[in-house]
Amino acid sequence: MSTSHPLAGKRILVTRARHQAGKLAEALEALGAEVLRLPTIEIIPPETYAHLDAVLEVISGFDWLIVTSANGAAALAERMRFLGIHAERLEHLQVAAIGPATAEAVGRIGLKVSAMPDEYVAEAVVAMLKEKVVGRRVLLARAAVARDVIPEQLRQCGADIHVVETYRTVIPSESIEQVRELLAEAQPLPDAVTFTSSSTVNNFFALLAAAKIAMPAGLRAVSIGPVTTRTLSQHKWEPAREAFPYDISGLVGACVKLLGQ
């Protein structure tokens, strides 16, 4: 096996949203893998922009902005463009990003990230900020459905925290037929399935249910980090590997450790 193509001959299923799958797919393909794409997430607007719009109009009254995903940053940027709000109106904010991909997306808005944890999970964001946000007004921009670790724990630390929904995630309808084809009994199973968030895990199982197919025995999962691993465990599926660091490069590395020869 070529050391430059340790994943040659391996078939890896990628479950990220269609617009986000490219970076992971390209990295795996560069190492010789055949990538099978099954979008389990589609990003759509929140049910209403009323709360987000109202908060953006009074953004001068906030001290901190916390962004927990690149999708959240992109949705925030899109709404700012729609409302004609320029990045200068947010320059006074201290900005915390959960990880490097999110920080990069925040940078595209024109904002500078002043805080990022060593581990890209909500608990690490809380540990990093708990002494910085006492008595401060904090805006948390996130998905409609998300864990409440950050708002609950930062409130306990004395922060005045406001949560706004910037986007929702739904299951792409075309993926239901796709999952039937990819996991059909006549087909050889993929060598691994990668999961980049709890939403990709939950939606993968929702896809299986919608397609009326059972979880194939022997299918191996690769998780991007401990939160995603915990969600897999809740579905009685222990991942074969967990990424470290908890990002796309770590996920690719975990695939190589699991499947490389």
Side-chain angles (χ1 to χ4, degrees):
M1 181 72 66
S2 166
T3 54
S4 63
H5 294 93
L7 297 177
K10 303 300 182 183
R11 299 165 72 247
I12 300 177
L13 187 59
V14 170
T15 58
R16 295 196 94 187
R18 192 178 303 281
H19 72 283
Q20 286 184 303
K23 186 178 177 184
L24 174 58
E26 286 166 13
L28 293 170
E29 286 167 348
L31 297 175
E34 178 190 349
V35 172
L36 310 170
R37 299 179 189 231
L38 177 70
T40 58
I41 285 179
E42 184 179 345
I43 307 299
I44 63 171
E47 289 186 6
T48 174
Y49 279 113
H51 190 194
L52 176 58
D53 290 357
V55 166
L56 285 172
E57 291 297 340
V58 294
I59 198 67
S60 60
F62 285 85
D63 303 297
W64 277 89
L65 168 66
I66 303 174
V67 187
T68 56
S69 72
N71 285 325
L76 185 62
E78 193 172 317
R79 199 60 189 168
M80 286 168 62
R81 276 194 298 272
F82 179 82
L83 295 172
I85 294 174
H86 299 290
E88 290 79 16
R89 292 240 330 246
L90 282 69
E91 280 182 343
H92 68 287
L93 294 170
Q94 297 264 52
V95 183
I98 200 166
T102 304
E104 191 178 314
V106 167
R108 287 196 289 272
I109 299 177
L111 300 177
K112 184 182 177 185
V113 170
S114 48
M116 187 174 75
D118 293 330
E119 292 188 53
Y120 314 140
V121 292
E123 289 79 0
V125 173
V126 171
M128 174 183 68
L129 295 180
K130 62 184 181 182
E131 293 175 3
K132 295 178 168 46
V133 297
V134 179
R136 303 291 185 183
R137 293 194 79 205
V138 180
L139 178 62
L140 171 61
R142 69 176 198 183
V145 176
R147 295 193 308 146
D148 287 326
V149 171
I150 292 174
E152 286 178 358
Q153 294 192 12
L154 288 185
R155 279 193 189 106
Q156 290 172 13
C157 297
D160 177 13
I161 190 160
H162 297 252
V163 180
V164 289
E165 298 171 1
T166 56
Y167 67 97
R168 289 179 291 154
T169 61
V170 296
I171 298 169
S173 55
E174 65 272 16
S175 292
I176 297 172
E177 184 55 39
Q178 207 175 343
V179 76
R180 282 197 193 104
E181 294 170 4
L182 287 168
L183 301 180
E185 288 183 15
Q187 291 276 3
L189 275 183
D191 293 287
V193 186
T194 60
F195 292 99
T196 53
S197 67
S198 291
S199 295
T200 58
V201 176
N202 290 327
N203 286 13
F204 179 79
F205 280 92
L207 275 176
L208 292 180
K212 296 182 171 59
I213 60 176
M215 174 72 178
L219 192 59
R220 293 183 290 182
V222 182
S223 161
I224 200 167
V227 176
T228 302
T229 293
R230 193 152 59 239
T231 306
L232 282 162
S233 300
Q234 288 165 359
H235 287 279
K236 307 292 190 289
W237 194 11
E238 296 302 324
R241 284 279 177 176
E242 182 180 282
F244 188 82
Y246 313 144
D247 57 16
I248 295 302
S249 65
L251 191 61
V252 173
C255 289
V256 172
K257 285 177 182 169
L258 176 65
L259 303 174
Q261 296 179 16

